Amino acid sequence: MKYIDEFRDGALAKHIAERIAAEVKPDHHYRFMEFCGGHTHAISRYGVLELLPPNVRMIHGPGCPVCVLPIGRVDLAIELALQHDVILCTYGDTLRVPASGGLSLTKAKARGGDIRMVYSAGDALQMARDNPEKQVVFFAIGFETTTPPTALVIRDAAREGLKNFSVMCSHVLTPPAIRAILDGGRPSAGPSPAVSAPSGGSDPCEAGERGGHGSHETAEIEGFVGPAHVSVVIGSDPYAKFAQEYQKPVVIAGFEPLDVLQAILMLVRQVNEGRAEVENEFTRAVTPHGNLNAQAVMDDVFELREAFEWRGLGTMPHSALQIREKYREYDAEHRFNLGYRSVPDNKACECGAILRGVKEPRDCKIFGTVCTPENPIGSCMVSSEGACAAHYTYGRFRDIPVVAATEGAEA
């Protein structure tokens, strides 16, 4: 099975687009959020927007892991590299996320920090094995997709008795972010199933009553294109509460253009029929219960944080993970006594509003001028999954008005 070329067939894409155009109601404006940055990238790269009717609007969500990383977390990683003489390992995009004082991990490396890009959590663990005389810290970020590999390397380090390896955990959870969008940026009580219930702790399916600081306006939407890789891990069941409680349909989709178009068609049909259900377009990879083995290792190693700051959404309760007590010696925040400090974003940057879906990249005054992929001012311009980076690469020329040539104008 290839599962690539057949999901990029132009003729089929045109056919699905024609079905969408035929089924939308002319007097209704459809507003759907693609939560995942991978979908944002696919929509821009394959010109999906050009195939949609004018009254179907796609809104970018906060599902880019690099984009939602707050400045304060990057500052902690820089502190580790420059003040604690560690080898800091992390994924490539994380190196370029802007931090305080005009710094980033890349610039901290230029100042003498031993900061290294890795392709996997396993690479960071191997770095510790290869450098027994140095402390090695893995700056771990991402949603549920990248969390199981981090859990596995922590367990392996414990099994091997490695004393020079630790993890600075910045793993966040998808359901609380969806709930924050639906609640208008205000964290509220309710289920946010992402991992199985940590033993001896609070139920991860309950986001606490304690609201975070900084409630924000969020986009008004009618339905979600649910994330693909996250859903492979957590399954489709966790989204049922959102459909039931908020009456918002969710369609889980793969990352190919035909996946996205089919998901939009399914959302249009649900809205037209007055339904609010969870449907799974990505049946070739996603099951109702997800990957139970991955969930088990996550539950063994991690527990819910009381609160965690997200860029754009503020501090949300029970929206991220921390390392459990039995693996605490592998927690870099504990080992190096790190204290988190919240840092406001650059005032000129609209990244927070873009992550909440209330603004688009072109609404930012510094987009494409001061802020570019070569010189990112905000995190949304860093990763290819970021809305700004995707629009800069594939869509910014659509914003240039077309001016007809004047008759008789000189060549």
Side-chain angles (χ1 to χ4, degrees), residues 32-204:
F32 303 131
M33 174 176 281
E34 82 275 1
F35 180 89
C36 183
H39 289 134
T40 298
H41 180 83
I43 288 170
S44 296
R45 178 181 179 184
Y46 296 108
V48 170
L49 295 179
E50 279 70 25
L51 296 173
L52 299 178
N55 58 333
V56 177
R57 181 185 170 194
M58 299 306 298
I59 300 169
H60 311 310
C64 163
V66 168
C67 302
V68 300
L69 192 65
I71 290 175
R73 300 298 293 180
V74 186
D75 283 352
L76 286 183
I78 292 174
E79 177 185 334
L80 280 170
L82 295 183
Q83 298 181 25
H84 294 277
D85 192 32
V86 307
I87 297 176
L88 185 82
C89 301
T90 192
Y91 300 124
D93 285 341
T94 314
L95 297 175
R96 301 175 58 243
V97 177
S100 295
L103 278 178
S104 66
L105 285 168
T106 297
K107 293 178 180 178
K109 180 179 177 68
R111 292 191 179 188
D114 193 346
I115 300 169
R116 309 186 190 187
M117 183 190 78
V118 294
Y119 290 100
S120 69
D123 289 346
L125 182 63
Q126 188 60 45
M127 193 79 66
R129 297 185 183 114
D130 295 341
N131 297 271
E133 75 288 352
K134 294 279 289 187
Q135 286 291 323
V136 175
V137 177
F138 177 46
F139 183 20
I141 75 160
F143 288 87
E144 293 90 340
T145 310
T146 55
T147 305
T150 303
L152 285 172
V153 297
I154 291 173
R155 288 212 313 198
D156 287 347
R159 187 178 300 114
E160 296 174 29
L162 286 179
K163 301 300 183 182
N164 68 321
F165 178 75
S166 58
V167 172
M168 191 181 116
C169 179
S170 294
H171 285 299
V172 292
L173 302 174
T174 300
I178 294 178
R179 182 172 291 279
I181 292 292
L182 292 172
D183 284 335
R186 297 177 299 276
S188 68
S192 55
V195 294
S196 54
S199 57
S202 59
D203 186 350

Side-chain angles (χ1 to χ4, degrees), residues 107-293:
K107 293 178 180 178
K109 180 179 177 68
R111 292 191 179 188
D114 193 346
I115 300 169
R116 309 186 190 187
M117 183 190 78
V118 294
Y119 290 100
S120 69
D123 289 346
L125 182 63
Q126 188 60 45
M127 193 79 66
R129 297 185 183 114
D130 295 341
N131 297 271
E133 75 288 352
K134 294 279 289 187
Q135 286 291 323
V136 175
V137 177
F138 177 46
F139 183 20
I141 75 160
F143 288 87
E144 293 90 340
T145 310
T146 55
T147 305
T150 303
L152 285 172
V153 297
I154 291 173
R155 288 212 313 198
D156 287 347
R159 187 178 300 114
E160 296 174 29
L162 286 179
K163 301 300 183 182
N164 68 321
F165 178 75
S166 58
V167 172
M168 191 181 116
C169 179
S170 294
H171 285 299
V172 292
L173 302 174
T174 300
I178 294 178
R179 182 172 291 279
I181 292 292
L182 292 172
D183 284 335
R186 297 177 299 276
S188 68
S192 55
V195 294
S196 54
S199 57
S202 59
D203 186 350
C205 294
E206 296 297 327
E209 293 279 3
R210 298 174 299 282
H213 74 265
S215 294
H216 303 286
E217 176 191 5
T218 56
E220 294 182 6
I221 61 172
E222 287 189 293
F224 284 97
V225 177
H229 293 157
V230 165
S231 301
V232 171
V233 176
I234 69 174
S236 59
D237 286 348
Y239 306 104
K241 286 289 185 180
F242 301 125
Q244 295 166 5
E245 292 183 12
Y246 295 92
Q247 287 299 291
K248 305 291 185 183
V250 179
V251 177
I252 298 165
F255 287 130
E256 298 302 327
L258 295 191
D259 288 316
V260 178
L261 283 167
Q262 181 64 27
I264 294 170
L265 177 59
M266 294 164 74
L267 285 170
V268 167
R269 287 174 174 170
Q270 285 208 50
V271 170
N272 288 350
E273 296 168 10
R275 294 185 291 118
E277 302 171 2
V278 177
E279 294 184 311
N280 182 13
E281 184 276 338
F282 199 33
T283 54
R284 61 189 187 275
V286 174
T287 63
H289 303 299
N291 187 325
L292 298 180
N293 289 331

Side-chain angles (χ1 to χ4, degrees), residues 348-385:
C349 175
E350 297 287 1
C351 186
I354 292 168
L355 288 168
R356 298 192 303 276
V358 297
K359 289 190 177 182
E360 299 180 11
R362 61 188 176 189
D363 297 325
C364 182
K365 293 180 180 179
I366 62 174
F367 170 80
T369 53
V370 176
C371 185
T372 65
E374 293 75 29
N375 181 48
I377 304 300
S379 59
C380 293
M381 189 62 90
V382 173
S383 169
S384 63
E385 294 188 357

